[in-house]
Amino acid sequence: MLFLRKVRDRISLPLRPKGIEKIGLTSSATEDSHLEANRKLHLYHRVHRWDPNLDDEYLDEVHRAANSYDGSSTNKRMAQKVSENSPYPEVRAAVRNKDEDVPVDTIRAWTIGIFLTTVGSGLNSLFALRAPSIVVSSMVALLIAHPLGLAWAKVMPNKKIKVFGREMELNPGRFNIKEHALIAIMANASIGNGHAYFANTILAQVKFYNTDFGTGSCYSFAFLRLLADHGSESRGVMGNMSCNQYPNGRIRYCRAASSDSCRTSPPNPATTNGWRIPRYRYFLYLFTGAFIWYWFPGFIAPFLSVFAFATWIKPNNPLVNQLFGGWTGLSLIPITFDWTQIAGYVQSPLIPPWHAIGNTMIGTVVTYLIVTPILHYTNHWYARSLPIHDSTIYDNTGHPYDVSKVLDADRTFDLQKYKAYSPVFLPTTMSMTYGLNFAAIAALIVHTVLFHGQQIWIRARDVRGDLDDIHTRMMRKYPKVPVWWYLVLLSGCLVLCFLTCVAWPTHLPWWGLLIALLIAFILTVPIGIIQGSTNIQIGLNVFTEYIVGYMLPGRPLGMMLFKTYGYISMAQGLSFIQDLKLGHYLKINPRSLFWAQVLATLWSCFVQLGVIRWSMGNIEGICERDQPNRFTCPNGRVFFAASILWGLIGPRRIFSGKSIYAGLQYYWVAGALAPIVFYIIARIFPRSRARFVNTPILFGGTLMLPPATTLNYLAWGIVGVVFQKHIRYRFTGWWMRYNYITSAALDTGLAISTIVIVTAFQLSNISFPSWWGNTTALQTMDQKGTAIIDPLAPGETFGPKTW
């Protein structure tokens, strides 16, 4: 560490000119003004120095202005530029530097918001049971809300009614941008992350563990889960501070840009690379095309979904199917004509910045296309007797692990039964993903300290508001949410959570709940900073599994609860903060935001659980591998596999000592060292590409795999590079106006088309007439999940003799 400190001292760039600490002793008022501007510019440069979303030229311009003490006009212009607007072009193009005095809390906004929350929550719950899953994003709700709001303004009468003793106008006039944003925030609070995570816990418990505590317990758990998530992360100090903790624009790109999507003025061809079409007409055309097209890969010709032509040539060759298959293979030739495969698991590639996509692609290629085949075909971890990619864990006969064979009467772990049965074996890609999870958490902590530690420290001490921009200053006129609102919500949630843990046999003690929430509290800021600049969130699911597996071994149900509390509390809290930032940009009353988020979150939990309970009782064969309509519960299956791995058997028997997968523990070391290496390179060569290397994303960008596949990530990355790198910089005008609309149109067309296909045909067991594209093309080892290099004969076993 002493050596690294010396290296840092020698290569560090000056943070401020010499003598700046003595500013203002004998200077004139004008001189003080210049020096104050320079002081703010220095703070600004120090905060944004490693920001990958800012161009080198812009950062150099800020640095030069900060070191200019001659009162030049350049210095004044730059000081005004950084204080009066956002440095991000996506934000500048979408957010106005003024506050429109229009109504927000209207019957129209609340009615449309609750309606879209209900529909979106229900659809996401249904689609999450399907493979591949489909996410109805909040962008879809944002765009659908606009025509609904316009129709309301034209149709509804202009009269006043009383709601809870408050007189409100049924039709307050023109549908405005603040109403639109409030609806989008309600949708994001309920469907922004797809289906509710608690659904995976319930599916694993009911369908895979065959343990059902009843509808009442499920509703209680769902209610407490989402309420606890919201309360624990929206606590007053954390919530109010975090809105200002992140620099302007460091929210999801879609949040900033979509705030402008309700403006329908005709485009200027000079600024849109010659395009004249209005955005909503463009959206309608593309939506219609996406709706029609999905009938082919989704119903008529499913071979288009995974266009693995090599497997059609050799349908029964395990090597070909492992290398070129798209369902259970590595997809070395990633071809798909299905937007579901591109955006189903990883969400739209038209949202993250290019550097985030690049880091994810590097991690995918190195880990899954180079390292994974080497380990698999050299029979490391006895991998040749297993599929190369799958979301199932196996026993030593090559069959799915039968959890009932290692459980006692109380449904806890029985060591003797475990020793008589089998150790756990993981498909190679799943093993690599667990190792990457270890590396991602270690890299997250070290990367945040090195690249963002100064930024966090400066912003935490910025009590004067030196880094406040015009949006922050304009928001000061609105009353803040009282801290006691958050504290009351948090206190109530904690009480109910403790009661839930002890009222049912969850096997999670009260102190375990506190540790889970503490993990979420500590890691929210580091994960939020990474997500803010990349639009990719590093999950805490495996980390919480790892902790509880050592802390409470042999308790799978307790593990699932601990994991859900520790992981989703963080994720829901960051979603809350992102919406605060959107409201911050659009100047929405913080108290209106608070109630919109809380009520939408609570209502969605009932809707989603209702859909899940209905699906389990009405969809025949749900969660079975051969379910004809693909309702195989991929997320719940992975959740169940993780509960066996981490909660029932425990990480000590799988990753410690002389166990099969003990070598994966070295990923903790690799994750901790990688940020240090790239930090030193970035300090020595400050304008090199090293500053774009984000090691948490390099290791953690592919953590949805499995149940996602390499085809999902490779196709996502290829499309993302085209739009976010090539089009973004060569056709900037088009990209600024149409990129996010393109993403939303494809998402919406896919979602609506899937709804029609599922409800009108698949749920009624109506299939398209048989032909090669939906019969023979699907009879491959890749499709069946049987591509194994060394299959076992009946009664044969593999692996170690003792464990």
Side-chain angles (χ1 to χ4, degrees), residues 108 149-157 171:
R108 176 171 56 199
L150 295 180
W152 185 295
K154 289 184 177 181
V155 174
M156 298 301 290
N171 189 345

Side-chain angles (χ1 to χ4, degrees), residues 128 195 199-201 203-204 208 623 632-642:
H195 72 291
N200 297 329
T201 305
L203 283 172
F208 297 105
C623 296
T632 58
C633 308
N635 295 293
R637 188 174 298 277
V638 171
F639 207 81
F640 168 69

Side-chain angles (χ1 to χ4, degrees), residues 235-470:
R235 50 195 170 270
V237 176
M238 184 70 178
N240 288 327
M241 181 273 289
S242 295
C243 186
N244 293 321
Q245 175 69 29
Y246 306 115
N248 271 343
R250 301 200 100 188
I251 59 174
R252 290 184 180 177
Y253 276 55
C254 61
R255 294 289 172 271
S258 65
S259 67
D260 189 51
S261 63
C262 59
R263 300 175 194 159
T264 57
S265 57
N268 180 1
T271 62
T272 57
N273 300 104
W275 283 55
R276 299 174 180 270
I277 184 172
R279 277 180 294 187
Y280 267 95
R281 187 183 301 171
Y282 172 78
F283 168 80
L284 180 62
Y285 291 161
L286 199 56
F287 163 82
T288 304
F291 174 86
I292 296 172
W293 172 251
Y294 184 68
W295 283 80
F296 291 92
F299 187 65
I300 299 172
F303 76 95
L304 293 172
S305 182
V306 176
F307 201 81
F309 62 87
T311 65
W312 306 335
I313 300 172
K314 296 286 186 179
N316 297 313
N317 186 307
L319 180 62
V320 171
N321 280 262
Q322 284 190 349
L323 293 178
F324 298 98
W327 291 104
T328 58
L330 299 181
S331 191
L332 293 184
I333 305 177
I335 303 176
T336 179
F337 300 95
D338 185 355
W339 186 251
T340 305
Q341 295 291 347
I342 297 173
Y345 285 109
V346 201
Q347 299 193 8
S348 174
L350 277 64
I351 304 301
W354 70 268
H355 57 83
I357 296 172
N359 279 282
T360 303
M361 287 291 283
I362 292 172
T364 302
V365 171
V366 172
T367 302
Y368 297 106
L369 300 189
I370 298 177
V371 177
T372 293
I374 293 174
L375 294 176
H376 189 82
Y377 296 119
T378 57
N379 205 31
H380 194 66
W381 301 323
Y382 308 98
R384 290 171 63 92
S385 299
L386 299 170
I388 194 170
H389 172 76
D390 197 358
S391 58
T392 304
I393 64 173
Y394 292 88
D395 60 20
N396 57 10
T397 66
H399 292 92
Y401 204 88
D402 188 351
V403 63
S404 63
K405 293 185 178 181
V406 296
L407 289 176
D408 59 18
D410 296 328
R411 306 197 73 78
T412 56
F413 181 71
D414 189 314
L415 180 60
Q416 296 306 316
K417 289 184 177 181
Y418 170 72
K419 290 183 176 180
Y421 176 40
S422 170
V424 167
F425 292 92
L426 308 176
T428 312
T429 55
M430 183 183 286
S431 304
M432 296 302 298
T433 298
Y434 280 125
L436 291 179
N437 268 281
F438 300 159
I441 295 299
L444 170 73
I445 297 171
V446 178
H447 178 92
T448 301
V449 171
L450 294 178
F451 286 92
H452 302 285
Q454 186 179 65
Q455 167 195 337
I456 296 173
W457 179 249
I458 291 174
R459 287 190 173 274
R461 299 179 62 199
D462 185 25
V463 294
R464 295 175 49 182
D466 289 331
L467 296 171
D468 289 352
D469 66 353
I470 189 171

Side-chain angles (χ1 to χ4, degrees), residues 47 64 80 139 150 215 268 343 355 438 444 522 541 631 667 710 745 787:
V47 165
R64 285 193 299 268
Q80 185 178 14
M139 176 70 84
L150 295 180
T215 303
N268 180 1
H355 57 83
F438 300 159
L444 170 73
I522 294 173
N541 49 337
F631 285 101
Y667 274 81
T710 52

Side-chain angles (χ1 to χ4, degrees), residues 22-226:
K22 301 179 181 179
I23 284 175
L25 295 178
T26 59
S27 60
S28 65
T30 302
E31 224 177 318
D32 286 341
S33 175
H34 293 327
L35 296 180
E36 178 67 13
N38 275 280
R39 188 183 67 81
K40 292 182 179 181
L41 284 172
H42 276 291
L43 284 176
Y44 184 89
H45 183 263
R46 292 164 67 190
V47 165
H48 290 277
R49 180 178 178 183
W50 300 114
D51 194 335
N53 295 308
L54 294 179
D55 295 333
D56 291 340
E57 294 76 13
Y58 177 83
L59 292 174
D60 289 340
E61 187 180 356
V62 173
H63 186 65
R64 285 193 299 268
N67 286 279
S68 166
Y69 285 85
D70 57 359
S72 66
S73 58
T74 301
N75 176 260
K76 295 179 181 178
R77 283 197 304 270
M78 180 52 65
Q80 185 178 14
K81 184 177 180 180
V82 301
S83 65
E84 297 298 325
N85 217 328
S86 170
Y88 305 101
E90 295 81 2
V91 178
R92 292 197 302 270
V95 182
R96 299 175 181 176
N97 288 353
K98 64 179 182 179
D99 185 7
E100 300 180 43
D101 189 13
V102 292
V104 179
D105 285 314
T106 64
I107 296 176
R108 176 171 56 199
W110 279 93
T111 303
I112 296 175
I114 292 297
F115 169 72
L116 293 178
T117 292
T118 304
V119 174
S121 299
L123 292 178
N124 276 338
S125 294
L126 181 64
F127 292 158
L129 304 175
R130 189 174 178 271
S133 62
I134 301 169
V135 175
V136 180
S137 68
S138 53
M139 176 70 84
V140 174
L142 177 78
L143 292 170
I144 294 177
H146 186 257
L148 291 179
L150 295 180
W152 185 295
K154 289 184 177 181
V155 174
M156 298 301 290
N158 186 11
K159 58 182 296 185
K160 293 184 178 181
I161 61 175
K162 283 193 174 182
V163 180
F164 299 112
R166 177 184 173 187
E167 194 174 68
M168 303 180 69
E169 293 185 7
L170 187 61
N171 189 345
R174 178 176 174 269
F175 185 57
N176 65 73
I177 191 172
K178 291 190 178 183
E179 289 179 292
H180 199 177
L182 190 70
I183 294 169
I185 287 170
M186 293 176 70
N188 189 55
S190 56
I191 65 175
N193 295 317
H195 72 291
Y197 202 72
F198 73 82
N200 297 329
T201 305
I202 294 173
L203 283 172
Q205 173 187 322
V206 176
K207 299 303 295 184
F208 297 105
Y209 279 110
N210 298 316
T211 302
D212 192 348
F213 296 144
T215 303
S217 67
C218 289
Y219 271 105
S220 176
F221 176 60
F223 175 80
L224 294 174
R225 276 292 315 114
L226 290 180

Side-chain angles (χ1 to χ4, degrees), residues 716-785:
W716 173 86
I718 292 170
V719 174
V721 169
V722 170
F723 277 87
Q724 301 299 82
K725 183 66 174 176
H726 178 72
I727 296 178
R728 165 71 175 84
Y729 291 99
R730 291 197 61 182
F731 306 99
T732 304
W734 184 96
W735 186 91
M736 292 289 289
R737 190 166 184 87
Y738 297 107
N739 180 69
Y740 300 113
I741 301 298
T742 301
S743 175
L746 293 173
D747 288 344
T748 311
L750 169 65
I752 302 302
S753 182
T754 304
I755 294 169
V756 174
I757 293 172
V758 170
T759 57
F761 295 96
Q762 292 184 349
L763 293 181
S764 303
N765 294 320
I766 300 174
S767 58
F768 191 78
S770 297
W771 70 292
W772 178 88
N774 60 11
T775 55
T776 305
L778 308 184
Q779 299 303 311
T780 65
M781 299 183 81
D782 173 51
Q783 286 272 351
K784 298 176 181 178

